[in-house]
Amino acid sequence: MSTPETSRFVRLRVELVLEVEDADAVTKAAVRRVADDPEMPDAERAHAEDAVTEDTAEALAYLVDPFGLVSEVPGVELQQASWSSERIEYDPDSPDWDLDEDDGEDDDEEEGGIG
């Protein structure tokens, strides 16, 4: 592919940290989504129901729809999506969770100047 052709594609990375306030509601919603999926084979349905029932993070991963995130954006078409979920320890005051971590070098240059 030439450069003009490849420049049409954009990788959008999004990282979310969700606080689950009602794990039962999340699990029930995921079980409903599995049960209502007309295209899911029965063997896969049984496995999916077990997975979302046993793990809230898995239930959330099943409920998140990357297509839904971009389906209303004009002029774009989702080409590929992948996502995963995991339980984490979260401390909003920890520097490990600084959303501007990629900007650290730029901040130093702005504060100290160049040269």
Side-chain angles (χ1 to χ4, degrees):
M1 266 190 218
S2 68
T3 302
E5 289 179 39
T6 59
S7 64
R8 297 181 323 178
F9 298 94
V10 175
R11 180 183 307 256
L12 176 65
R13 296 177 194 239
V14 177
E15 183 169 331
L16 304 170
V17 176
L18 304 173
E19 180 178 2
V20 177
E21 296 178 348
D22 188 345
D24 191 46
V26 171
T27 299
K28 286 178 182 178
V31 169
R32 273 192 308 275
R33 171 88 48 96
V34 170
D36 293 344
D37 187 342
E39 297 179 18
M40 185 179 292
D42 289 340
E44 187 179 335
R45 185 181 320 279
H47 174 72
E49 285 177 354
D50 287 343
V52 302
T53 302
E54 293 174 12
D55 185 4
T56 306
E58 187 68 31
L60 278 169
Y62 197 85
L63 291 169
V64 170
D65 176 15
F67 176 75
L69 294 173
V70 298
S71 64
E72 301 287 324
V73 177
V76 301
E77 181 178 336
L78 181 64
Q79 296 295 310
Q80 180 180 2
S82 66
W83 66 104
S84 64
S85 64
E86 63 184 338
R87 290 186 177 273
I88 60 167
E89 295 297 322
Y90 177 67
D91 176 4
D93 297 325
S94 170
D96 293 339
W97 293 99
D98 183 8
L99 294 178
D100 293 328
E101 67 185 31
D102 292 339
D103 295 337
E105 291 178 17
D106 294 337
D107 292 344
D108 292 340
E109 288 177 8
E110 289 176 14
E111 291 174 13
I114 298 177

